[in-house]
Amino acid sequence: MQTRVMLQSKLFPKTRKEAPKEAESMNHKLLVRAGFMDQLMAGSWTLLPLGWRVVTKINQIIREEMNAIGAQEMLMPLLHPKKIWNETGRWDKAKEVMYQFKDNRGREYALSFTHEEIVMDLLRKNIKSYQDLPVGVYHFSTKFRNEPRARSGILRGREFMMKDLYSAHVSEEDLMSYYEKAKRVYSKIFTRLGFDFRVVETEGGVFTDKNTHEFQVLAKGGEDTIYYCDTCSWGENKEIFKGKSGNKCPKCKKGKVIEEKSIEVGNIFPLGTWYAERMRVYYTDKNGKKKPVWFGSYGIGSTRVMGALVEVSHDSKGIIWFPQVAPFDVHLIELSGAKNAKQVYKKLTDAGIDVLWDERDVGAGEKFADADLIGIPVRLVVSKETKDKIEWKKRESEKTKLVSLNQVINKLSKVSG
Ligand code: ATP
Ligand code: MG
């Protein structure tokens, strides 16, 4: 992702000293102050250039892991006819979360809150025999949900970005082995993103009567409460947990049950044949018999992931991005009298390193404060004093040291490579 960006006074957006008055959560305060996002109305956000760079990096990590399990990326529409939602009865069942409306000719539509019905429609047009299965397709797109409470910054939008994967299979066995594969790949994604998370069981909501698995990031600012074992991998959402913290683990009987606040970043659903039976999605098996397709769906909220990263990694001065999701690799601060800023900028970008170059005509204090607020992992300073060297500082540390341009390139190539 090599781009040349300077933090000119013209740069859109600018940072702010004060958080918006209505901001309650840390991600809301910091992402707005640091110029990553802007609120249009409750639950509705513009991702500004810095925010979009982070979400793009998050999406790329997810995309690489989806492709690694053979899923194919596509893009589905967001405006859906009522008819398709009536086929499963979810037009009525999911009325509370769905934005439904009539056009000026009286036709009824919904804005997508999920895409199971749309994928089912696609499958019934394309799946004929067992030879056409299994199928795994996914997309990144907007979801609309009429959330009653949209007060946790970008953690809960009424419009947000999700990656949703759908898979179709000939049997329950094949679905469940894919489901386990999806669970492993989700764990890999959340590990790559840098989270401390737990996989917990919970209910299926408007998706299924069966239990499902959620990926929950441990975070004080989270809306969810989970219970997990301090010894084995057992975990349950408060919604289904019967018991209390401190109890013996119901699974391994050795560990202790811990209660913690958390943020749900992903959810996977083994949906079975419920959708196929209602929408008549059948395939013919080896013996020529018609059978319903086994179906699963798997979601990750990538804009919520950005908010969760801020909730778990910040200090009193601002955000601290993990390198793999940071909007830039380095924040280059040019102070008055520096002679080598342009050369440093050019050599770094030529080496494939993403540089945010602050060459504004403002005081050093303001530049340092903005660098801490924006939270890029490495800060470089060039000034009259540093001469042909560069001052290097990590965002989370107070220590600075003088290094050469080649040393900077070597260090950064190690970090990003
Ligand atoms: P929640 O329980 O937090 O309302 P959900 O269980 O309704 O979420 P799913 O339908 O499982 O959400 O959606 C898959 C993923 O999409 C979630 O794990 C989460 O990361 C994200 N997500 C869901 N709702 C929102 C929202 N309102 N804003 C941002 N991200 C969301
Ligand atoms: Mg969920």
Side-chain angles (χ1 to χ4, degrees), residues 138-374:
Y138 72 99
H139 72 167
F140 290 90
S141 83
T142 299
K143 297 280 179 279
F144 296 89
R145 294 189 183 180
N146 195 350
E147 300 279 2
R149 217 183 142 273
R151 270 188 282 160
S152 299
I154 202 153
L155 297 180
R156 187 168 297 284
R158 298 212 165 98
E159 181 179 336
F160 59 94
M161 183 168 279
M162 195 200 283
K163 181 286 303 173
D164 32 335
L165 164 71
Y166 301 87
S167 76
H169 307 267
V170 293
S171 64
E172 179 167 25
E173 192 190 356
D174 199 54
L175 167 64
M176 291 319 289
S177 93
Y178 193 89
Y179 185 80
E180 288 306 319
K181 202 185 325 179
K183 204 192 278 173
R184 286 195 296 275
V185 94
Y186 265 44
S187 291
K188 189 161 172 211
I189 289 167
F190 294 121
T191 303
R192 281 185 66 182
L193 289 168
F195 284 132
D196 183 9
F197 65 97
R198 295 292 181 279
V199 187
V200 305
E201 251 187 89
T202 191
E203 349 176 279
V206 293
F207 293 89
T208 176
D209 296 334
K210 290 205 184 126
N211 277 358
T212 67
H213 288 92
E214 289 174 341
F215 294 75
Q216 295 273 1
V217 170
L218 304 182
K220 282 197 286 293
E223 286 184 358
D224 282 25
T225 304
I226 58 164
Y227 295 87
Y228 64 90
C229 175
D230 65 0
T231 309
C232 76
S233 63
W234 176 88
E236 283 180 6
N237 192 304
K238 189 178 183 163
E239 285 167 4
I240 61 163
F241 180 66
K242 295 181 187 70
K244 55 182 201 297
S245 72
N247 282 2
K248 269 229 163 71
C249 169
K251 190 174 171 200
C252 71
K253 314 261 192 261
K254 288 195 195 93
K256 204 173 72 180
V257 174
I258 311 242
E259 177 189 290
E260 207 135 359
K261 282 283 172 201
S262 62
I263 301 167
E264 180 200 320
V265 284
N267 204 175
I268 57 177
F269 303 83
L271 298 170
T273 56
W274 190 91
Y275 288 81
E277 281 160 18
R278 277 154 192 83
M279 293 187 66
R280 298 176 312 283
V281 190
Y282 290 91
Y283 72 96
T284 42
D285 73 4
K286 279 188 182 137
N287 308 314
K289 233 177 117 187
K290 277 202 165 235
K291 288 188 170 161
V293 157
W294 289 80
F295 194 47
S297 75
Y298 319 81
I300 297 179
S302 45
T303 45
R304 181 180 287 185
V305 163
M306 175 169 77
L309 285 163
V310 175
E311 294 290 331
V312 300
S313 189
H314 66 266
D315 63 13
S316 60
K317 296 180 197 148
I319 305 167
I320 305 174
W321 293 108
F322 302 137
Q324 64 275 30
V325 289
F328 291 90
D329 301 317
V330 288
H331 195 135
L332 172 64
I333 293 183
E334 176 182 358
L335 297 183
S336 62
K339 295 221 163 58
N340 55 345
K342 201 168 183 175
Q343 189 212 3
V344 170
Y345 178 75
K346 185 171 184 316
K347 283 268 163 63
L348 290 178
T349 50
D350 286 350
I353 293 159
D354 281 335
V355 186
L356 183 65
W357 178 9
D358 187 353
E359 31 66 288
R360 292 173 300 171
D361 194 11
V362 300
E366 188 174 340
K367 290 187 174 186
F368 291 151
D370 276 350
D372 283 339
L373 179 59
I374 292 170

